Amino acid sequence: YITLAGGPVKGQPWSFELNTLEPRGPKQAHFRMIWQDVKPDSLTWRWQQRQADGSYTDVWVIDYKRRK
């Protein structure tokens, strides 16, 4: 079970950002999910982790495409 909070990204049509905190030992790891380029038959899903400098890097990226 993962608790996520967030929603649409302002100024970026069809982009959504959801954030979570995942406990890892004595520290917290910050992650976010982003759905981009959302179309009727496809989207890009990014799972990212926040780095010490505040930037985010992709942990994984999935390009979903609907089967025909």
Side-chain angles (χ1 to χ4, degrees):
Y1 177 76
I2 299 174
T3 302
L4 300 168
V9 178
K10 289 183 180 180
Q12 296 183 32
W14 298 107
S15 291
F16 302 87
E17 180 178 321
L18 298 173
N19 295 284
T20 187
L21 292 176
E22 178 184 302
R24 289 197 172 181
K27 297 183 179 180
Q28 294 280 322
H30 297 259
F31 293 93
R32 70 181 182 184
M33 282 194 288
I34 298 176
W35 290 277
Q36 297 174 300
D37 305 320
V38 178
K39 298 174 184 146
D41 293 326
S42 65
L43 63 88
T44 301
W45 179 7
R46 296 179 181 279
W47 183 253
Q48 299 180 326
Q49 183 172 8
R50 189 169 70 187
Q51 305 303 304
D53 66 1
S55 66
Y56 282 88
T57 57
D58 290 334
V59 176
W60 46 262
V61 178
I62 298 175
D63 291 316
Y64 281 98
K65 291 186 172 77
R66 186 185 304 260
R67 285 187 181 183
K68 295 187 180 200

